[in-house]
Amino acid sequence: MTKTTLNQLATNPSCMDDYDPNAMSVQQARTFIQQFLNPVIETELLAIRESLGRILAEDIVSPSNVPNHNNSAMDGFAFKYSEGVKLIKVIGTAFAGRPFDGEVKASECVKIMTGAVIPKGADTVVMQEKTVNKGEYINVLEAPKQGSNLRLAGEDLKSGETILSKGHQLQAADLGLLASLGVATVLVNRQLKVAFFSTGDELVSVGKPLEQGQIYDSNRYTIYGMLSKLNVHITDLGVVPDQPDLLEKTLLEAAKQHDVVITSGGVSVGEADYMKALLGKHGQVLFWKINMKPGRPLAYGKVGLAHYFGLPGNPVSAMVTFYQFVRQALLLLMGKTVKPTPMFVVECTESIKKAKGRTEFQRGFLFEEKGQWKVKPLYNQGSGILSSMSKANCFIVLDETIGDCAPGTQVNIQPFEGAI
Ligand code: AMP
Ligand code: MG
């Protein structure tokens, strides 16, 4: 990829042969954005519960074995295995947290609970259900193989093993894993500071009445929801009307105090689309027409030190461009080791009209039929039909090579679950 700077691209888009801002593929746009992203470097030490969703700033190396002793996987009897064993004497009991401290010899056993330390001399546990109680003795109905029903020391984690790597985003299981090692605090990257605002004279925030020609601002709410899932620090700067001086003031203030500024609306070529001129004056911002539907206009660049994303105003376009470009960029800036979004191939039950040469992210509904998962595109795919995002549970991703699809075609889908 290019070593061309953002400034060169912004001021002279023809400086590179393979760079055409008016015909960017989805993948090209992603790659362009990625080369300008440097993760945050500041870190903080957090109690493990506070670290959920945060990005590890260091590798976590196991300080001990987990479990740290051989223990029983069953309620039963721990004994010293020998061929054809039948009648064994019970010489004591071992509870989880209260070990039996004698030694088990041949033809002896200890009654043992799940999680209790395997007593010295014992090497096998027989399940309680496979025995009959005979007073001081038990009768083994079905002898297990030697070594059965034990959880071995270090079987989960070995001392010195790297169990979580720098760049990992901490999940519920990880908090438990850290606790199982006795780790109380972890070093994580600081939160990314993200500000956003909507632009448009027609927009009104919820809670106020609408006048003729006005609409409620919905993008700020979807953007808020999408950002909340990422565990970033969010600043909502409200609706800014299409007034160059106000837009300028808000943008510059936001860029001074945040790592990222996201706006929606005003990045096309309409008469009230002032953002473009403003960004030309203050930023190193690239304006792209992406070969995709919905979400054609997209702006990316820097205003001061802050990264800037200008999303289209149409509510579905704003969401699609967020998911396809901004989400991954924010994760990279947070310092996460990012993996590609999972895609699955399923049968599409209806026909799809689609022009080759651009990528479409149609809203689809994934459902099960006779044990098979299938997808149905939603009826109205308009970029202003926000209800389609609510009703859908996946994107149907149709790349540039795909044209019209007949019912029964296998298509790629990205489930919302987990991402949205
Ligand atoms: P724009 O990109 O500013 O030309 O806006 C494109 C379309 O999206 C117009 O119909 C706008 O009214 C609508 N729109 C822009 N911003 C928002 C918003 N925040 N919430 C809902 N609709 C919006
Ligand atoms: Mg507008």
Side-chain angles (χ1 to χ4, degrees):
M1 186 37 73
T2 172
K3 284 275 168 278
T4 316
T5 63
L6 204 50
N7 196 26
Q8 283 170 314
L9 286 172
T11 48
N12 179 19
S14 60
C15 69
M16 264 181 72
D17 288 346
D18 59 346
Y19 177 73
D20 179 359
N22 291 318
M24 292 286 279
S25 74
V26 171
Q27 196 43 51
Q28 260 178 322
R30 278 194 194 124
T31 315
F32 261 101
I33 293 172
Q34 269 175 32
Q35 66 184 318
F36 301 116
L37 306 174
N38 293 314
V40 292
I41 43 173
E42 298 87 354
T43 58
E44 56 186 323
L45 195 65
L46 291 185
I48 52 176
R49 279 198 188 170
E50 308 304 314
S51 72
L52 184 65
R54 301 291 288 270
I55 310 294
L56 271 180
E58 58 181 359
D59 288 346
I60 303 286
V61 175
S62 177
S64 56
N65 281 329
V66 176
N68 61 14
H69 50 257
N70 292 351
N71 68 92
S72 178
M74 295 282 170
D75 291 333
F77 298 88
F79 66 105
K80 195 186 205 70
Y81 183 86
S82 69
E83 194 73 32
V85 62
K86 274 268 179 282
L87 202 64
I88 337 184
K89 185 170 184 195
V90 185
I91 58 164
T93 307
F95 294 94
R98 262 192 292 151
F100 172 80
D101 53 12
E103 187 173 345
V104 177
K105 307 219 174 61
S107 299
E108 287 181 348
C109 71
V110 160
K111 185 168 178 140
I112 195 162
M113 312 304 148
T114 306
V117 177
I118 301 295
K120 205 168 156 203
D123 60 4
T124 306
V125 171
V126 57
M127 279 168 78
Q128 193 164 299
E129 293 84 337
K130 301 276 163 72
T131 63
V132 176
N133 203 338
K134 298 260 175 197
E136 268 185 71
Y137 289 82
I138 54 156
N139 206 348
V140 178
L141 299 177
E142 202 184 307
K145 284 203 190 104
Q146 187 168 19
S148 292
N149 302 320
L150 303 191
R151 297 173 184 154
L152 300 178
E155 165 180 296
D156 188 359
L157 308 168
K158 290 205 171 33
S159 176
E161 183 186 342
T162 298
I163 54 154
L164 295 169
S165 301
K166 180 179 158 122
H168 176 75
Q169 189 165 31
L170 290 161
Q171 300 163 11
D174 305 325
L175 305 194
L177 198 63
L178 291 165
S180 77
L181 293 169
V183 173
T185 54
V186 277
L187 196 68
V188 296
N189 290 346
R190 75 155 168 85
Q191 266 188 320
L192 202 64
K193 286 178 276 183
V194 183
F196 61 97
F197 57 95
S198 295
T199 70
D201 282 339
E202 74 282 29
L203 303 176
V204 175
S205 294
V206 292
K208 293 184 194 147
L210 287 184
E211 292 187 10
Q212 184 76 23
Q214 294 184 324
I215 58 167
Y216 284 118
D217 171 12
S218 60
N219 290 347
R220 253 169 61 235
Y221 297 85
T222 47
I223 291 172
Y224 172 84
M226 296 187 288
L227 286 174
S228 297
K229 289 265 183 174
L230 296 180
N231 206 326
V232 293
H233 182 273
I234 301 172
T235 312
D236 178 352
L237 296 171
V239 175
V240 182
D242 293 316
Q243 289 171 24
D245 50 340
L246 261 181
L247 287 167
E248 182 170 34
K249 189 164 161 279
T250 315
L251 178 73
L252 295 184
E253 276 297 307
K256 255 189 244 154
Q257 292 162 19
H258 298 85
D259 302 299
V260 179
V261 180
I262 301 172
T263 64
S264 74
V267 289
S268 326
V269 289
E271 292 212 342
D273 291 339
Y274 299 113
M275 286 305 286
K276 197 164 176 177
L278 191 57
L279 291 160
K281 183 168 148 201
H282 291 289
Q284 302 172 22
V285 177
L286 315 177
F287 295 89
W288 293 331
K289 286 202 180 80
I290 303 197
N291 286 338
M292 70 185 268
K293 190 183 167 190
R296 220 159 114 73
L298 175 74
Y300 165 74
K302 282 199 135 176
V303 178
L305 293 177
H307 294 269
Y308 170 78
F309 292 91
L311 308 184
N314 275 312
V316 179
S317 311
M319 286 194 84
V320 171
T321 43
F322 184 97
Y323 281 121
Q324 299 303 327
F325 302 104
V326 184
R327 182 175 181 272
Q328 196 186 37
L330 295 183
L331 291 171
L332 283 165
L333 288 171
M334 287 160 69
K336 181 172 175 167
T337 309
V338 177
K339 302 182 188 93
T341 315
M343 283 240 249
F344 302 96
V345 177
V346 299
E347 179 189 320
C348 183
T349 55
E350 315 230 328
S351 63
I352 298 180
K353 242 185 112 41
K354 147 96 173 48
K356 282 190 182 174
R358 68 174 180 221
T359 304
E360 289 199 12
F361 296 92
Q362 295 217 352
R363 272 73 66 217
F365 188 76
L366 205 53
F367 64 100
E368 202 203 275
E369 193 176 73
K370 295 186 192 124
Q372 281 257 306
W373 284 89
K374 298 181 177 178
V375 70
K376 181 181 151 110
L378 291 190
Y379 172 69
N380 195 336
Q381 295 283 339
S383 60
I385 310 296
L386 189 54
S387 60
S388 72
M389 278 299 292
S390 261
K391 287 179 189 147
N393 58 8
C394 70
F395 285 127
I396 304 174
V397 184
L398 304 164
D399 71 25
E400 297 178 15
T401 62
I402 296 174
D404 291 342
C405 299
T409 305
Q410 300 286 317
V411 293
N412 282 320
I413 60 114
Q414 275 174 351
F416 286 174
E417 190 73 36
I420 285 190

